[in-house]
Amino acid sequence: MYRNFRIVPNIIFGRGAFNQLDDVIKHKRTSSESYFVFVVDDAFTGQPLESRIPLKGRDLLLRVNVDDEPKTTYIDALVKQIRTYHFEKPVGVVGIGGGSTMDIAKAVSLMLNNPGSSADYQGWDLIKFPAVYHVAVPTLAGTGAEISRTAILTGPEKKLGINSDFTLYDQILLDPDLIAGVPKEQWFYTGMDCYIHDVESLQGTFINEFSRAYGEKSLDLCRQVFLQDHPDRDDKLMMASYFGGMSIAYSQVGACHALSYGLSYVLGIHHGIGCCIAFDYLDEIYPEGVAEFRQMMARHDISLPRNLTKGLDQAAMEKMVTTALGLVPLWQNCLGPDWADIMTRERTMELYTRM
Amino acid sequence: MYRNFRIVPNIIFGRGAFNQLDDVIKHKRTSSESYFVFVVDDAFTGQPLESRIPLKGRDLLLRVNVDDEPKTTYIDALVKQIRTYHFEKPVGVVGIGGGSTMDIAKAVSLMLNNPGSSADYQGWDLIKFPAVYHVAVPTLAGTGAEISRTAILTGPEKKLGINSDFTLYDQILLDPDLIAGVPKEQWFYTGMDCYIHDVESLQGTFINEFSRAYGEKSLDLCRQVFLQDHPDRDDKLMMASYFGGMSIAYSQVGACHALSYGLSYVLGIHHGIGCCIAFDYLDEIYPEGVAEFRQMMARHDISLPRNLTKGLDQAAMEKMVTTALGLVPLWQNCLGPDWADIMTRERTMELYTRM
């Protein structure tokens, strides 16, 4: 049985497309009471981008902090804040920021229409009701959050996404100008999230020709960005992110993402850098990908933090291993049905010990 | 201003996916009165595929003939036939066939919800009401009809598509097994429609990084299919068609498609072969693309018909030129804003005279 794959149905792409945001969303403003919630990374507070947000009437500018990756408690608090702000629901939610902000906007738009806590929906297809109309405006490229069917959250028990067709954005606006000024490290780590998606998808056992076509082109674009300094690298990285997201959406990620989830859950390490840290120890699984990744690191003079797990107690180490190995579909994709015989707890522990 | 681009939101891909058609559409069967119309190329009459169509209850199997490319009068007659069949509208239309059949299914699903004749809607964004839910099951690959926002029809005055966001399918089912047994000439001509889409898109002035990413990968896949006889060529050609369609959807086609429309309108030549005939005379505009196309023809031992316009009277020749030059956006994409100074009536006439 093949999965019937849902895709974000509307996309606008181009340098300066952010100027059209008002035009793109205005069809939802059906009455004078209608309002939008703009979920914006608080790194933009007082920045020129903030003043370009097309706020109208009752619209709510909801600045969010992503120093830590989004938690379910944070989502629940934001939803409560919106409900307190106005008794009617917003007609739409627009997420402006990187992967964490885009995931917050997804989760908020879902939770406005679904009862209980966001922690209740961490898993696959647990969401019952469609989300409020939601729009992504990425200001970082690589996560694929703009196209994925998940909103990744750290809950009381686990780091796991709200995976559902309802999670998908209704609209994405890709403006390469928005990623032009990102600091080098952030640009690199987020871009590598995409590169690693491609390697994990293409080398996985779930691969099909749909995922291969997207993954191969995304890899090609990543090379143009990170090895060839192409003059249109902002445009290319945005497309790489979109294609990488499409590739994993119809296949799956693999070992690196599983290990990075453990690093994030126990050590609070951000996803992009966590993927880079883990990938650097995965020569045995992805030899060519890791070799090329190191070329990219060298070219951009990136040095990764080391000895992160040194001094961690046994319980924390065990929790990290349990988190990583709990992501069964990722390991099945990476190593096939007998994955548990190959990636034992001991081997996983040994990998984490070296990080 | 960039266009807000609409994409078919649901896709299922894989060998044997046709067996899941019933499962994919059944959510629309909300009552015992609900029925689907299956618009099927009559070439499948009595063939094994026909017996696999998941007909239920009142469903209508509507065999269509595509010996000639679809005419607006034919669409109007089919819509009348459905209205006579049952006083309620169908809950969905499923098109099973090549580009012409997919275009018929699109046009029928639009005209079930829009008054008047389909000829009234030939043009851009003239459709007022959304179509009936419609699903594409291509049995040929290359046209991009599964993903395009147009249903190309020959009307009383012109060959021109019903271009609208409502034209887009709601769902596509891509089963590479369905294209495995296509006769060589048909396979080649339809595949070249895709190859030519890619060349026209990539060499056009409307190109952006979105269209480039799709067009380049589609071209790469076409090479694997037509120059390398890849063992997964059916899967790859289906993805090439989809990517090629995505590429032109956010850019435009060019000179070859414009000239092929003239051949179709006046001589009734089918689109795929018409594109091949025209492309073979476009060395000056697409030198590399035409050279590679000839390699593909030689490899597959294809010989194109010649001297098609010999003996045509002046009025017919003029009508052909007028048809081709009427497709202004195609020429703008191909040759830029001063296209009319470059592609004069004389030059167009000279090209047609050689065909």
Side-chain angles (χ1 to χ4, degrees):
Chain A
M1 287 284 281
Y2 302 103
R3 192 155 58 81
N4 192 10
F5 174 45
R6 186 156 174 88
I7 301 170
V8 174
N10 291 289
I11 178 167
I12 177 163
F13 176 92
R15 291 195 168 267
F18 189 75
N19 295 331
Q20 288 175 242
L21 178 57
D22 186 45
D23 193 57
V24 165
I25 64 174
K26 71 180 179 199
H27 65 103
K28 288 281 168 187
R29 297 187 189 275
T30 47
S31 85
S32 60
E33 298 287 300
S34 303
Y35 73 102
F36 270 89
V37 176
F38 291 87
V39 174
V40 185
D41 184 337
D42 67 5
F44 292 113
T45 302
Q47 297 295 310
L49 183 69
E50 199 182 58
S51 64
R52 294 172 60 204
I53 296 170
L55 291 166
K56 298 266 164 88
R58 283 185 203 280
D59 287 354
L60 175 62
L61 176 63
L62 192 64
R63 296 187 182 108
V64 294
N65 185 277
V66 293
D67 290 344
D68 294 325
E69 294 201 320
K71 292 190 170 61
T72 51
T73 48
Y74 190 44
I75 300 302
D76 295 348
L78 291 170
V79 171
K80 196 173 168 190
Q81 189 181 338
I82 295 167
R83 290 201 172 119
T84 310
Y85 174 73
H86 200 269
F87 67 95
E88 279 193 25
K89 286 175 193 168
V91 292
V93 173
V94 181
I96 304 175
S100 292
T101 307
M102 283 189 278
D103 278 357
I104 292 172
K106 283 176 177 175
V108 164
S109 64
L110 285 165
M111 294 312 300
L112 283 165
N113 277 347
N114 286 274
S117 161
S118 54
D120 304 338
Y121 301 97
Q122 286 182 281
W124 281 269
D125 302 308
L126 303 172
I127 288 283
K128 296 282 183 299
F129 303 103
V132 166
Y133 171 78
H134 51 307
V135 178
V137 182
T139 62
L140 275 173
T143 68
E146 66 278 21
I147 185 68
S148 76
R149 74 190 292 276
T150 188
I152 299 168
L153 302 176
T154 302
E157 287 168 28
K158 56 206 167 194
K159 178 178 175 187
L160 183 60
I162 302 181
N163 295 273
S164 127
D165 279 353
F166 299 128
T167 309
L168 273 180
Y169 278 105
D170 297 294
Q171 168 81 54
I172 51 185
L173 184 153
L174 299 179
D175 180 350
D177 277 349
L178 301 183
I179 63 165
V182 174
K184 188 183 76 173
E185 269 74 20
Q186 205 174 10
W187 167 80
F188 186 84
Y189 295 139
T190 314
M192 286 303 105
D193 189 9
C194 171
Y195 178 80
I196 295 166
H197 286 161
D198 301 336
V199 172
E200 291 182 314
S201 173
L202 290 169
Q203 240 185 271
T205 62
F206 293 3
I207 193 74
N208 61 21
E209 207 52 53
F210 184 95
S211 285
R212 191 190 308 280
Y214 277 107
E216 285 179 349
K217 189 65 202 176
S218 180
L219 207 57
D220 171 35
L221 291 165
C222 284
R223 287 176 184 140
Q224 293 180 51
V225 172
F226 292 103
L227 291 175
Q228 296 162 25
D229 295 328
H230 196 285
D232 293 330
R233 69 180 196 176
D234 299 328
D235 304 65
K236 286 183 185 286
L237 188 54
M238 281 211 135
M239 286 311 302
S241 176
Y242 179 80
F243 272 43
M246 291 288 276
S247 183
I248 53 170
Y250 214 28
S251 60
Q252 185 51 273
V253 286
C256 181
H257 273 70
L259 293 170
S260 131
Y261 269 50
L263 292 175
S264 293
Y265 191 64
V266 174
L267 295 170
I269 292 171
H270 274 229
H271 182 70
I273 189 169
C275 283
C276 289
I277 291 164
F279 201 53
D280 204 25
Y281 293 92
L282 291 174
D283 315 57
E284 285 180 21
I285 296 177
Y286 305 114
E288 291 161 20
V290 173
E292 193 169 57
F293 162 73
R294 289 185 188 142
Q295 281 177 41
M296 292 173 175
M297 281 214 293
R299 187 179 181 93
H300 297 286
D301 200 19
I302 301 288
S303 41
L304 291 171
R306 305 275 174 189
N307 299 320
L308 293 160
T309 58
K310 204 175 173 179
L312 269 191
D313 63 25
Q314 189 65 14
M317 291 297 286
E318 294 288 350
K319 193 193 268 186
M320 211 145 57
V321 171
T322 302
T323 303
L325 295 183
L327 295 154
V328 173
L330 284 64
W331 293 107
Q332 285 174 329
N333 178 43
C334 179
L335 299 169
D338 301 327
W339 67 271
D341 300 335
I342 304 166
M343 189 52 65
T344 58
R345 283 192 75 86
E346 294 66 40
R347 187 172 172 193
T348 314
M349 182 67 82
E350 189 269 333
L351 280 166
Y352 274 132
T353 309
R354 285 160 63 200
M355 288 181 195
Chain B
M1 288 285 281
Y2 301 104
R3 192 155 58 81
N4 193 10
F5 173 44
R6 188 157 172 85
I7 301 171
V8 174
N10 290 290
I11 178 168
I12 178 165
F13 176 92
R15 290 195 168 267
F18 188 74
N19 295 332
Q20 289 175 240
L21 178 57
D22 186 45
D23 194 56
V24 164
I25 63 175
K26 70 180 180 198
H27 65 104
K28 288 283 169 187
R29 296 187 189 274
T30 48
S31 85
S32 60
E33 297 290 299
S34 303
Y35 72 101
F36 270 88
V37 176
F38 292 87
V39 174
V40 185
D41 184 338
D42 67 4
F44 292 113
T45 302
Q47 297 295 310
L49 183 68
E50 200 181 58
S51 64
R52 294 172 59 203
I53 295 170
L55 291 166
K56 297 266 166 89
R58 283 185 204 279
D59 287 354
L60 175 63
L61 176 64
L62 193 63
R63 297 188 182 107
V64 294
N65 185 278
V66 294
D67 290 344
D68 293 326
E69 293 201 320
K71 292 189 171 61
T72 52
T73 47
Y74 191 44
I75 300 301
D76 297 347
L78 291 170
V79 171
K80 196 173 168 191
Q81 189 181 338
I82 295 167
R83 291 200 172 119
T84 310
Y85 174 73
H86 200 268
F87 66 95
E88 280 194 24
K89 286 175 193 168
V91 291
V93 172
V94 181
I96 303 175
S100 292
T101 307
M102 284 189 279
D103 279 357
I104 291 172
K106 284 175 175 174
V108 164
S109 64
L110 286 164
M111 294 312 299
L112 283 166
N113 278 345
N114 285 274
S117 162
S118 54
D120 303 339
Y121 301 98
Q122 286 182 282
W124 280 269
D125 301 308
L126 303 173
I127 288 283
K128 296 282 182 298
F129 303 104
V132 165
Y133 171 78
H134 51 308
V135 178
V137 182
T139 61
L140 276 173
T143 67
E146 65 278 21
I147 185 68
S148 75
R149 74 190 293 276
T150 188
I152 300 167
L153 301 175
T154 302
E157 287 168 27
K158 57 207 167 195
K159 179 179 173 184
L160 183 61
I162 302 180
N163 295 272
S164 130
D165 279 352
F166 299 128
T167 309
L168 271 180
Y169 277 106
D170 297 293
Q171 167 81 53
I172 50 185
L173 185 153
L174 300 179
D175 180 349
D177 277 348
L178 300 184
I179 62 166
V182 174
K184 187 183 77 173
E185 269 74 19
Q186 205 175 9
W187 168 80
F188 186 84
Y189 296 139
T190 314
M192 286 303 106
D193 188 9
C194 171
Y195 178 80
I196 295 166
H197 286 162
D198 301 336
V199 171
E200 291 182 315
S201 173
L202 291 169
Q203 240 185 272
T205 62
F206 292 2
I207 192 76
N208 62 20
E209 206 51 53
F210 184 95
S211 285
R212 191 189 310 279
Y214 277 106
E216 286 179 349
K217 189 65 202 175
S218 180
L219 207 55
D220 172 33
L221 291 166
C222 284
R223 286 175 185 142
Q224 293 180 51
V225 172
F226 292 103
L227 291 175
Q228 295 161 27
D229 295 328
H230 195 286
D232 293 329
R233 69 179 196 178
D234 298 328
D235 303 67
K236 287 185 184 287
L237 188 54
M238 279 211 137
M239 286 311 302
S241 176
Y242 180 79
F243 272 42
M246 290 290 276
S247 183
I248 53 171
Y250 214 27
S251 60
Q252 186 48 277
V253 287
C256 181
H257 273 71
L259 293 170
S260 129
Y261 270 51
L263 291 175
S264 293
Y265 192 64
V266 174
L267 295 170
I269 292 172
H270 274 231
H271 182 69
I273 190 169
C275 283
C276 289
I277 292 164
F279 201 52
D280 203 26
Y281 293 91
L282 290 173
D283 315 56
E284 286 180 22
I285 296 178
Y286 305 115
E288 290 160 20
V290 173
E292 192 168 59
F293 162 74
R294 287 182 188 144
Q295 279 177 42
M296 292 172 175
M297 280 213 293
R299 187 177 181 94
H300 297 285
D301 200 19
I302 301 287
S303 42
L304 292 170
R306 306 276 175 190
N307 299 318
L308 294 160
T309 57
K310 204 174 173 179
L312 269 192
D313 63 25
Q314 189 65 16
M317 292 297 286
E318 293 288 349
K319 192 193 269 187
M320 212 145 57
V321 171
T322 302
T323 302
L325 294 183
L327 294 155
V328 173
L330 284 64
W331 293 107
Q332 285 173 330
N333 178 44
C334 179
L335 299 170
D338 301 327
W339 67 271
D341 300 335
I342 304 165
M343 188 52 65
T344 56
R345 283 193 74 87
E346 293 67 38
R347 188 171 170 195
T348 314
M349 182 66 84
E350 189 269 332
L351 278 166
Y352 275 132
T353 309
R354 286 162 63 202
M355 289 180 194

